[in-house]
Amino acid sequence: APEGVRRALGAEMALTGIHGQSFLRTPAAGGPAFLVYYGPAVLQRCKTLAEMRKAMTTLASVYDAARLLWPWDEAGVDGTVTIEVGALKYACAQSSEGKLR
């Protein structure tokens, strides 16, 4: 995945939604944190590197859109928002086969 996508995913996935909890390599405070429900399923269906890149870019776009709806705020450190992306687990693989656009 492009560096910007990796950076965006890393920053968003480092937020825990729990005050005082952070990862050593990516200390982050604020929130709300996003739980992207079915996010791993989107990646599990990828069979090629191109599909994985597309899936990672799509997930980064989901986080970006969510951040527009729920802006980052230091006071939101204890907040969590669940985003359901189950429909995407089929879309990424199908679009590379030309079935979806």
Side-chain angles (χ1 to χ4, degrees):
E3 182 60 32
V5 170
R6 281 187 263 168
R7 191 173 24 256
L9 289 173
E12 289 296 350
M13 290 179 171
L15 298 175
T16 66
I18 300 172
H19 181 72
Q21 183 183 52
S22 65
F23 296 97
L24 292 176
R25 289 186 166 240
T26 53
F34 298 129
L35 169 61
V36 180
Y37 200 68
Y38 284 108
V42 172
L43 302 176
Q44 287 174 338
R45 292 193 159 277
C46 297
K47 295 179 181 156
T48 66
L49 187 56
E51 287 178 0
M52 182 60 74
R53 281 189 186 120
K54 182 174 182 122
M56 297 289 280
T57 301
T58 300
L59 286 177
S61 295
V62 167
Y63 278 105
D64 288 345
R67 190 54 68 202
L68 289 174
L69 294 171
W70 293 278
W72 184 88
D73 181 12
E74 269 189 49
V77 67
D78 288 322
T80 304
V81 175
T82 301
I83 302 162
E84 201 278 319
V85 296
L88 292 178
K89 67 184 175 181
Y90 301 107
C92 287
Q94 287 177 343
S95 64
S96 67
E97 297 168 4
K99 294 179 183 175
L100 247 163
R101 293 179 194 255

